[in-house]
Amino acid sequence: MSNQITIALDAMGGDDAPHIVVAGANIARRRHPDVRFVLFGDEKDLAARVSKQRGLSEFVEIRHAPEGVAPDAKPSQVVRNGQETSMWNAIDAVKNGVADAIVSAGNTGALLAIAMLVLKRLAGIDRPAIASFFPTQRGETVMLDLGANIRCSERNLVEFSIMGEVFSRTVLGIENPTVGLLNVGEEETKGNDALKDAAQMLRELDLPGEFVGFVEGDDIPAGAVDVVVTDGFTGNVALKTAEGTAKLINAFVRETFRNSFWAKIGYIFAKRSFDKLRSRSDPRRYNGAMFLGLDGVCVKSHGGTDAVGFATAIGVAIDMVKYGGNASLKTTVERLDLESLRPQAAAAS
Amino acid sequence: MSNQITIALDAMGGDDAPHIVVAGANIARRRHPDVRFVLFGDEKDLAARVSKQRGLSEFVEIRHAPEGVAPDAKPSQVVRNGQETSMWNAIDAVKNGVADAIVSAGNTGALLAIAMLVLKRLAGIDRPAIASFFPTQRGETVMLDLGANIRCSERNLVEFSIMGEVFSRTVLGIENPTVGLLNVGEEETKGNDALKDAAQMLRELDLPGEFVGFVEGDDIPAGAVDVVVTDGFTGNVALKTAEGTAKLINAFVRETFRNSFWAKIGYIFAKRSFDKLRSRSDPRRYNGAMFLGLDGVCVKSHGGTDAVGFATAIGVAIDMVKYGGNASLKTTVERLDLESLRPQAAAAS
């Protein structure tokens, strides 16, 4: 049995594309010996770049698709006119069985829209969601949705809980993941109706992990649960607020080391430890948002990342394929039989 | 003209009440020479505690109201049966002109419900909101709503913008405050209808400050605007996520200083600078959430704070009274004449 995994790469997406994509592929190739790539972009340019990356060429196939998707293009327009883009061709490669997964650092909305259209949703899933993981006080926590669905019904939140649990279990290898619904208090009476109804449904469901109820904003960085479930609006705001706050405190710390002669001396002694801390909380180590709930693996890299960060996003796609995330999700959704549980909820938007 | 300000204090609210309330009053009294207090709680106990705080007794009047509000009591029940509580009596003192403002570290929901019932809303304001300020990369930012209104109409968001702007200008003394609506992107097409309509209304309004459009989660800690406006659900999650992330990074930094011999040496040199940083970002310096939009000044202190933190919350109430926050808000609301601007919006919940 061959364990070879083929990843389609959108070489035209990202602030510093195609450089980060080609160099990122070469980093990922060294980490994951069984991986192969199909690069979509400008053939000549990519060939030249690949040849400069030592050892990469034998792992790469290049397909000519030089048209890029503008970072500010409207998803609806790209869906209408974007069939020739590198992004669309890379997604098509998964649909056609040429690749096992697709990674892009391009326009998030367009990527999601094309992936929904081409790959379709997994059977039993109403709304795919964007999931990502990041460091907490107790390890790594998965959060979803991070922006695919601005408004969510109870049914959507239940689906997100199942998808997040499967992702945490199969890809991060957490044995019995705990799942919490993000709310403004832990009491059952808090929050809107969708949250209360979703909590009720999750208590009745035989979830593979453990549903612990409501969690609050400070429970996210504390790592109180393995999976934080929320609507795409709140999730997006929470993620960006956390990233921004981390940046702010790190800036305060840097400033503190500079603001006196003695502090500067102190930094000389503490530097090695702080370098380790920096590497541990390096955002490039947590790059790669999964589009969960699609019939195919699609990973979105941060547009502003570098080759190291892009390689991490490729790693997320590889793990999702290698550990059979989607097969596991399919089995779980079938077993739980959401439609029968509370059919009236399925109709909610 | 007498500048004396009288603050009613709920001595029974807070994890460590009444100690924090009495000791906090004594700290605040030294900072604000014109302030007097009316303490509501157990008369005998308070008298004994006040006599132990040097110099406090002549600034304090005690009123017997020994019944407390349980931290987990339902606001609806407290509204029905809580007339004898220290919290209710303290709020009544503002209504009756005995005090200029009330500060409590007790049950937030109950405090808001009683304050709404007793003090009533300011003319022209549909929904009062909870506002607080905290340190950012560029100074101090006000955010509201932090949890009073789970769902918000465009009209509510416009009101919050006006209230936040007035608070920032009169109490924090920021000259021409910038106001942003929290969203998942800066483009005009992002977000739900309430957000898009509120942005449209704010562009048309002659706001005293400057409406800059949509901001994102990372703009909050960056201090991109002076006032961040959002619904109570998102605001509550964002605030708690920011607090939790700050705690997480601070824990990482402490750990880093401990994890090697050289780092420990470094800490000895850098300690004084880090002590300064700690004091600058001390949450006790940012304690005190304003209930904006009520016809009276009501400030909520963190329940878990100490005397220093409680004194800060008293300071917020004093500033709101001293700088005429509510009078300024009244004038602004009257001038803007929200009802006439877009009457159909006023009907939305």
Side-chain angles (χ1 to χ4, degrees):
Chain A
M1 171 185 146
S2 159
N3 288 317
Q4 188 175 301
I5 293 170
T6 306
I7 309 287
L9 300 180
D10 168 14
M12 308 297 285
D15 299 352
D16 199 14
H19 167 70
I20 56 159
V21 179
V22 177
N26 208 19
I27 296 169
R29 190 254 320 159
R30 286 193 211 105
R31 286 186 195 154
H32 310 273
D34 297 323
V35 75
R36 299 283 179 282
F37 301 104
V38 189
L39 263 65
F40 292 85
D42 185 282
E43 195 169 20
K44 252 188 164 163
D45 178 53
L46 287 177
R49 288 173 184 276
V50 167
S51 71
K52 277 182 202 147
Q53 295 283 334
R54 216 162 118 178
L56 180 61
S57 64
E58 60 175 303
F59 298 93
V60 159
E61 182 189 330
I62 297 170
R63 303 226 177 157
H64 191 57
E67 196 184 313
V69 173
D72 57 350
K74 279 199 176 178
S76 55
Q77 279 173 352
V78 181
V79 161
R80 270 198 305 278
N81 312 315
Q83 283 85 346
E84 302 303 317
T85 59
S86 58
M87 188 186 274
W88 195 302
N89 276 282
I91 294 172
D92 253 344
V94 177
K95 177 72 182 175
N96 302 334
V98 170
D100 300 300
I102 164 310
V103 182
S104 171
N107 181 320
T108 309
L111 185 66
L112 186 61
I114 304 172
M116 294 262 278
L117 186 77
V118 172
L119 300 176
K120 307 268 186 316
R121 294 167 298 177
L122 261 188
I125 297 291
D126 256 18
R127 297 276 195 98
I130 303 175
S132 196
F133 57 99
F134 45 84
T136 70
Q137 201 119 29
R138 292 171 53 191
E140 282 170 3
T141 288
V142 176
M143 183 155 74
L144 74 169
D145 175 27
L146 299 179
N149 310 278
I150 291 305
R151 225 172 300 171
C152 290
S153 69
E154 55 276 30
R155 164 68 190 269
N156 303 147
L157 294 170
V158 169
E159 283 182 6
F160 299 170
S161 304
I162 297 166
M163 298 195 295
E165 192 279 332
V166 169
F167 184 76
S168 173
R169 182 159 40 88
T170 59
V171 176
L172 298 183
I174 293 169
E175 231 174 89
N176 195 38
T178 50
V179 178
L181 281 174
L182 190 57
N183 201 342
V184 294
E186 283 170 22
E187 306 82 2
E188 282 183 30
T189 54
K190 293 273 183 177
N192 57 38
D193 289 342
L195 273 171
K196 287 181 222 170
D197 289 349
Q200 186 55 37
M201 289 170 79
L202 285 165
R203 269 181 227 112
E204 289 167 13
L205 267 179
D206 180 22
L207 204 68
E210 187 197 342
F211 174 63
V212 302
F214 294 136
V215 294
E216 299 186 64
D218 48 345
D219 291 322
I220 307 171
V225 286
D226 299 309
V227 182
V228 174
V229 174
T230 183
D231 64 88
F233 189 92
T234 313
N236 185 288
V237 167
L239 180 72
K240 286 178 182 163
T241 302
E243 287 175 348
T245 306
K247 224 167 135 182
L248 172 72
I249 309 283
N250 286 329
F252 281 167
V253 169
R254 267 197 311 278
E255 214 178 280
T256 301
F257 271 127
R258 281 199 210 107
N259 78 4
S260 82
F261 172 75
W262 294 113
K264 282 176 195 162
I265 300 289
Y267 182 65
I268 295 171
F269 286 103
K271 185 178 179 306
R272 269 192 74 172
S273 290
F274 273 87
D275 286 348
K276 263 188 224 156
L277 170 64
R278 198 164 303 132
S279 124
R280 175 181 162 198
S281 54
D282 186 344
R284 296 179 303 177
R285 285 184 63 170
Y286 301 92
N287 185 34
M290 260 305 300
F291 290 169
L292 283 171
L294 292 171
D295 196 5
V297 174
C298 181
V299 171
K300 167 69 172 71
S301 160
H302 223 286
T305 197
D306 63 8
V308 173
F310 196 81
T312 310
I314 294 175
V316 173
I318 293 172
D319 285 349
M320 188 73 181
V321 173
K322 189 152 61 178
Y323 300 118
N326 271 351
S328 178
L329 183 52
K330 230 174 196 163
T331 317
T332 307
V333 169
E334 273 164 22
R335 180 175 67 73
L336 291 176
D337 192 14
L338 293 182
E339 308 294 338
S340 74
L341 183 76
R342 194 180 286 198
Q344 73 275 19
S349 84
Chain B
M1 168 185 148
S2 160
N3 288 316
Q4 188 174 300
I5 292 170
T6 305
I7 309 287
L9 299 179
D10 168 14
M12 308 296 283
D15 298 351
D16 200 14
H19 167 69
I20 56 161
V21 179
V22 177
N26 208 20
I27 297 170
R29 190 252 323 158
R30 287 193 211 105
R31 287 187 195 153
H32 310 272
D34 297 323
V35 74
R36 297 284 178 283
F37 300 103
V38 188
L39 263 65
F40 292 85
D42 185 283
E43 196 169 19
K44 252 186 163 164
D45 178 54
L46 287 177
R49 288 173 185 276
V50 167
S51 71
K52 277 182 203 148
Q53 295 283 335
R54 219 165 116 176
L56 180 61
S57 64
E58 61 175 300
F59 298 92
V60 159
E61 180 190 331
I62 296 169
R63 303 228 177 156
H64 191 56
E67 196 185 313
V69 172
D72 57 350
K74 281 199 177 178
S76 55
Q77 279 173 353
V78 181
V79 162
R80 270 198 305 279
N81 312 314
Q83 283 85 347
E84 302 303 317
T85 59
S86 58
M87 187 186 275
W88 195 302
N89 276 282
I91 294 172
D92 254 345
V94 177
K95 178 71 182 176
N96 302 334
V98 170
D100 300 299
I102 151 64
V103 182
S104 172
N107 182 320
T108 309
L111 185 66
L112 186 60
I114 303 172
M116 293 263 277
L117 186 77
V118 172
L119 300 177
K120 306 269 186 316
R121 295 167 297 178
L122 261 187
I125 296 292
D126 254 17
R127 297 275 197 99
I130 303 175
S132 195
F133 57 100
F134 45 85
T136 69
Q137 203 118 30
R138 293 172 51 192
E140 283 170 3
T141 288
V142 176
M143 182 156 75
L144 73 167
D145 175 29
L146 299 179
N149 309 281
I150 293 304
R151 226 171 303 171
C152 290
S153 69
E154 54 276 29
R155 163 70 190 268
N156 302 148
L157 294 170
V158 169
E159 283 181 6
F160 299 170
S161 304
I162 297 166
M163 297 196 296
E165 193 277 335
V166 170
F167 184 76
S168 173
R169 182 159 41 88
T170 59
V171 177
L172 298 184
I174 293 169
E175 229 174 272
N176 195 36
T178 50
V179 178
L181 280 174
L182 190 57
N183 200 343
V184 294
E186 283 169 22
E187 305 83 3
E188 283 183 27
T189 55
K190 293 273 183 178
N192 57 38
D193 289 342
L195 274 170
K196 285 180 223 169
D197 290 349
Q200 187 54 37
M201 289 170 79
L202 285 165
R203 268 181 228 111
E204 290 166 14
L205 266 179
D206 179 23
L207 204 68
E210 186 198 343
F211 174 62
V212 302
F214 295 135
V215 295
E216 299 187 63
D218 48 344
D219 291 322
I220 307 172
V225 286
D226 298 311
V227 182
V228 174
V229 174
T230 182
D231 65 88
F233 188 92
T234 312
N236 185 288
V237 167
L239 179 72
K240 286 179 182 162
T241 302
E243 285 175 349
T245 305
K247 224 167 136 180
L248 173 71
I249 309 285
N250 286 330
F252 281 167
V253 169
R254 266 197 310 278
E255 215 178 279
T256 302
F257 271 128
R258 283 198 209 105
N259 78 4
S260 82
F261 172 75
W262 295 114
K264 282 177 194 162
I265 300 289
Y267 183 65
I268 295 170
F269 286 102
K271 185 177 178 306
R272 268 190 75 172
S273 290
F274 273 87
D275 286 348
K276 264 188 225 155
L277 170 64
R278 198 164 302 133
S279 122
R280 174 180 162 197
S281 55
D282 186 344
R284 295 179 304 178
R285 285 184 63 171
Y286 301 92
N287 185 35
M290 260 306 299
F291 290 168
L292 283 172
L294 291 171
D295 196 5
V297 175
C298 180
V299 171
K300 167 69 173 72
S301 159
H302 224 286
T305 197
D306 62 9
V308 173
F310 196 82
T312 310
I314 293 175
V316 173
I318 293 172
D319 285 349
M320 188 74 181
V321 173
K322 189 153 60 178
Y323 300 118
N326 271 351
S328 177
L329 184 51
K330 230 176 196 159
T331 317
T332 307
V333 169
E334 272 164 23
R335 179 176 66 74
L336 291 176
D337 192 13
L338 293 182
E339 308 295 337
S340 74
L341 182 75
R342 194 180 286 198
Q344 73 275 20
S349 84

